[in-house]
Amino acid sequence: MSFRARLRMFFALIVILPMIAVALVLFALTGRSETGKADAGVASGLSTSLGLYREAAAGARPALRQVAADEQLRSAIASGDTAAAGRRLQVLAESRDDIVAIELRSGSGRLITRTGSPNAVAPKALRLTARGGDDLGTLSVSVTDPSSYTRRAKALTGLEVTVFRRGQRLASTAGPAEGRPEPAERDGPQDFEISGQEFRGRTRHVVDAAAPTTEVSVFQERQPITDRIADNRLLIGAILLGFLVLSLISATLVSRALQGQIAQFLGAAKRLGRGDFTHPVPVTGHDEFAQLGREFNGMSNQLEAKIEEVERKREELEETIRRVGDALATGLERQGVVELAVRTSVDACEADAGRALPLDVNAFEPISIHELDAPLRAALEAAERAAFVPGPEVGAELLETVDPDAPPPRQRRAVPGAAEGAFALAVPMRSVLGPSDGTPEYVGVMSIARAGREFSREEEELLEYLAGQCVVSIENASLHATVKRQAVTDALTGLANVRAMHSILDREIERGRRFSGSVGLMMLDIDNFKKVNDSHGHQQGDEVLASVAGVLRDFSRDIDAPARYGGEEMAVVLPGTDVDGAVQLAERVREAVERLRVPKVGGRGHLRVTASFGAAALPESASDKEGLIAAADAALYRAKRAGKNRVEQAEPVAAPR
């Protein structure tokens, strides 16, 4: 990426992207602000309209008292004469100019009779009772019709008002258009459409006593809100655009100034790359670029003085690398040896990067020196693939596999690879030690890469040498680990052998004494093991031992040390465990062994085995290692004598006086 492109990207990151984010935030805020103002106005209008509704209902109280006090009406209602009650209601309604409707309903809310408009709103209700206390029903009087109510509400709020009952429009200031806002579940503002025109408003249920529920909707047109939002966003966009133009002009001026100074440094660097040290970078002023120019000129002078020194030391370096290779052959730490070999190869061959990839996961972990860009990675992969393409040397390797007396084939040579102007070398890391029988195998591949220049034959030989010495070191480490493991491991069960168990027990007892801790010991003996060997053969006995050892490993903690003590007897050293803990572990292992099903060697059925256990711990059961082993062994044989397949705890020792 060019410097100019980086400046543009920097400008986009620090100016354009934040400006876009600010614009989005401001656009969202102005939309919410204007909508919030409108919602507040609608909420206030709804509150005013509901207050007007309650005021209208209160205004019906005088008329309600007059109607309820009429004795003829009460007599007709008490006698159940609905027709007479209706005629009397008609007379009473005509006696007052302000009554819009009178309704008489039963105690359950059923309409008995009505006079006046069925669409009257804001009624005032009163429950009628006879002199004996019997319920005569509910009488309601309304002095408000929906049209006059909506007109008064609009005059007070300046908003459109509509009244509904049971989904039917009773009156509206918005004209006869169809459509209405649905009552919101949480009484919140909502957008809705009436005859293709958008509105925003709120709806509230008004529960009238002994009458159907009335809905009052207050709303306003959506378009003015939308227009205000658009105007605000346009103003914000214009301000941000002006700021963007100013930022772009400033960035252009700064970019040109920086590019001019960078061009001077680039020209000087190119001359320096050609070996021309006679034209230093022009230095003017005292800013950071001037300081950089002075440092660059100083570096150029130092570089010129050191070139000859580097050439003199190159031969010394190659000799040093030879000595490092010899040292690698004697190393036993695989990962460190491989990393040293790769790093030495990169430094000695003046490579930009290098790596070692394992083919055997147990040989070492992948190692990479320096970052890999796309061309270097592609060149490395090409060389690594080519390194394992079958060639004439495969025949000698196969002959060595089938004929031990055949002369060993030479180390594989380095194979080149190239991609996108980058060059690489790769060497297969061939070992003479196989996984079990000494069959030759490849443990991995070592490769290096650099940009712009191929590797020489001398560098190829150096990489081959280091890779060969690295393989020798890996082989030595494998042999050392194998011998070390065999010295402390029982070959049949994979558990620690008795020598390792004694060493671990000595170490844990010393640690327990130093920190006043406990050391537990659990010992087990497989019941009737001799019978297994006599009846099914020693091979079946080995399977039983291996299966029981597997149970011990499964139930042991990471800090525990399961071991084969001898014959069919096994033990587990339990750091930080008292005798109760040892007994608990022994019981769990006993149950697991009892559940164990060992497949018969012939493949026909399974064997069931049990084991007897003894548990002891320092300092509860003994005072030293020999006493601890003796206490656990004595408990084990008590379990044997008590019937086998059981756990016995060692007897406690008397505390010293």
Side-chain angles (χ1 to χ4, degrees):
M1 182 182 295
S2 67
F3 181 74
R4 180 178 298 178
R6 292 182 181 181
L7 286 177
R8 291 174 179 171
M9 184 177 66
F10 182 74
F11 177 80
L13 289 176
I14 67 171
V15 177
I16 296 179
L17 291 182
M19 191 174 298
I20 292 175
V22 169
L24 293 175
V25 171
L26 291 178
F27 284 176
L29 288 177
T30 189
R32 292 180 181 177
S33 176
E34 292 299 332
T35 303
K37 292 178 182 178
D39 291 341
V42 169
S44 177
L46 179 60
S47 178
T48 301
S49 299
L50 294 177
L52 182 61
Y53 191 97
R54 290 190 291 270
E55 180 183 340
R61 184 178 291 111
L64 175 62
R65 290 176 177 174
Q66 179 181 344
V67 173
D70 187 87
E71 291 297 333
Q72 295 183 29
L73 176 62
R74 282 180 171 273
S75 176
I77 295 173
S79 62
D81 189 348
T82 303
R87 289 192 297 273
R88 188 58 188 166
L89 287 178
Q90 181 68 31
V91 172
L92 292 172
E94 292 173 355
S95 67
R96 291 180 65 100
D97 295 331
D98 58 343
I99 293 179
V100 176
I102 305 176
E103 290 185 352
L104 178 62
R105 295 180 177 271
S106 66
S108 61
R110 179 179 57 83
L111 180 65
I112 298 174
T113 183
R114 176 197 295 127
T115 184
S117 173
N119 295 334
V121 296
K124 191 68 177 178
L126 178 67
R127 184 168 293 276
L128 301 178
T129 57
R131 288 186 175 86
D134 295 333
D135 186 7
L136 299 179
T138 301
L139 181 67
S140 63
V141 175
S142 174
V143 297
T144 305
D145 67 278
S147 297
S148 63
Y149 166 74
T150 55
R151 287 194 299 272
R152 289 182 61 195
K154 180 177 181 180
L156 290 174
T157 63
L159 302 173
E160 303 295 337
V161 181
T162 303
V163 179
F164 299 90
R165 182 177 291 156
R166 291 178 175 173
Q168 178 182 2
R169 182 194 302 266
L170 302 183
S172 177
T173 60
E178 294 295 325
R180 70 184 181 98
E182 293 295 331
E185 292 182 1
R186 297 183 180 178
D187 194 30
Q190 58 180 310
D191 293 322
F192 56 95
E193 186 176 299
I194 299 179
S195 297
Q197 187 174 2
E198 293 184 350
F199 292 86
R200 186 166 182 82
R202 300 178 68 169
T203 298
R204 179 71 64 82
H205 294 281
V206 181
V207 179
D208 295 323
T213 300
T214 302
E215 298 173 11
V216 177
S217 295
V218 177
F219 49 92
Q220 61 176 326
E221 293 184 14
R222 180 71 186 182
Q223 188 60 42
I225 304 174
T226 305
D227 293 342
R228 288 194 298 272
I229 294 174
D231 292 341
N232 291 340
R233 289 179 176 175
L234 183 61
L235 177 60
I236 292 171
I239 294 173
L240 293 178
L241 180 60
F243 180 78
L244 178 61
V245 171
L246 291 177
S247 301
L248 183 60
I249 294 173
S250 300
T252 302
L253 296 177
V254 173
S255 175
R256 289 180 179 177
L258 290 176
Q259 287 178 13
Q261 293 175 316
I262 293 296
Q264 292 180 351
F265 282 101
L266 182 60
K270 290 181 178 178
R271 292 191 297 271
L272 189 63
R274 295 193 299 267
D276 181 7
F277 300 93
T278 60
H279 296 83
V281 176
V283 177
T284 57
H286 301 281
D287 59 4
E288 288 79 5
F289 272 97
Q291 296 178 13
L292 180 60
R294 295 187 185 94
E295 294 295 331
F296 188 91
N297 292 335
M299 180 189 66
S300 175
N301 295 331
Q302 294 177 13
L303 182 62
E304 183 179 11
K306 291 188 181 235
I307 286 180
E308 293 182 2
E309 182 181 356
V310 171
E311 292 296 332
R312 288 194 304 269
K313 290 186 176 180
R314 183 175 181 81
E315 293 182 0
E316 298 176 5
L317 176 61
E318 291 182 354
E319 182 61 27
T320 301
I321 292 173
R322 298 287 179 181
R323 291 196 295 269
V324 170
D326 293 336
L328 290 177
T330 61
L332 295 178
E333 201 281 301
R334 307 180 190 181
Q335 199 67 19
V337 166
V338 177
E339 182 177 357
L340 177 59
V342 178
R343 191 177 298 278
T344 304
S345 301
V346 170
D347 295 340
C349 298
E350 298 180 351
D352 295 331
R355 68 183 181 185
L357 302 178
L359 297 179
D360 180 1
V361 295
N362 296 318
F364 58 90
E365 296 179 1
I367 293 173
S368 180
I369 303 299
H370 303 320
E371 293 292 333
L372 292 175
D373 57 17
L376 290 177
R377 186 182 301 277
L380 281 176
E381 292 174 352
E384 290 162 353
R385 286 194 297 268
F388 289 97
V389 173
E393 64 277 5
V394 174
E397 295 173 357
L398 294 176
L399 181 61
E400 181 190 15
T401 303
V402 299
D403 185 5
D405 297 328
R410 64 187 302 275
Q411 165 74 25
R412 282 283 189 102
R413 294 187 57 175
V415 178
E420 303 177 22
F423 299 91
L425 288 177
V427 177
M429 302 169 68
R430 183 175 183 271
S431 173
V432 298
L433 297 178
S436 58
D437 57 357
T439 303
E441 65 174 351
Y442 290 94
V443 297
V445 60
M446 184 184 299
S447 54
I448 57 175
R450 67 187 176 198
R453 183 162 58 93
E454 297 184 12
F455 291 96
S456 65
R457 179 55 195 156
E458 291 76 12
E459 292 169 330
E460 292 179 4
E461 292 176 350
L462 187 57
L463 181 63
E464 293 166 2
Y465 174 76
L466 290 172
Q469 296 302 318
C470 186
V471 169
V472 172
S473 181
I474 292 175
E475 294 170 350
N476 289 341
S478 299
L479 289 173
H480 179 76
T482 299
V483 172
K484 184 177 180 180
R485 183 175 60 254
Q486 290 174 349
V488 298
T489 304
D490 178 68
L492 175 61
T493 62
L495 303 179
N497 58 23
V498 65
R499 177 185 301 175
M501 188 199 84
H502 280 285
S503 177
I504 294 170
L505 197 53
D506 287 334
R507 185 175 64 249
E508 294 302 330
I509 290 174
E510 179 62 28
R511 182 182 291 114
R513 287 173 177 167
R514 187 180 307 137
F515 298 104
S516 299
S518 298
V519 179
L521 179 64
M522 181 194 79
M523 300 187 72
L524 70 89
D525 187 90
I526 301 174
D527 297 332
N528 304 316
F529 185 74
K530 185 176 182 302
K531 184 178 180 181
V532 174
N533 281 336
D534 294 342
S535 302
H536 302 280
H538 289 281
Q539 187 177 0
Q540 184 68 61
D542 291 346
E543 291 294 328
V544 170
L545 288 171
S547 298
V548 174
V551 172
L552 277 188
R553 278 193 297 268
D554 292 340
F555 280 83
S556 296
R557 303 170 298 177
D558 292 340
I559 62 173
D560 297 339
R564 184 179 181 188
Y565 192 67
E568 67 271 23
E569 195 169 354
M570 301 179 191
V572 182
V573 180
L574 305 168
T577 304
D578 58 14
V579 68
D580 291 334
V583 170
Q584 292 175 10
L585 174 63
E587 184 61 33
R588 292 198 300 270
V589 175
R590 185 197 66 76
E591 293 174 354
V593 171
E594 189 176 17
R595 293 192 300 268
L596 195 62
R597 301 293 183 270
V598 182
K600 290 185 178 180
V601 174
R604 298 181 300 276
H606 299 78
L607 287 180
R608 299 182 62 177
V609 295
T610 60
S612 300
F613 294 78
L618 280 177
E620 297 99 326
S621 307
S623 59
D624 55 18
K625 182 182 75 172
E626 289 73 17
L628 178 64
I629 295 174
D633 196 51
L636 167 62
Y637 281 96
R638 281 204 308 275
K640 286 281 190 182
R641 292 192 297 271
K644 302 179 181 180
N645 190 24
R646 59 186 292 120
V647 177
E648 287 290 338
Q649 177 178 327
E651 297 292 339
V653 296
R657 296 183 179 179

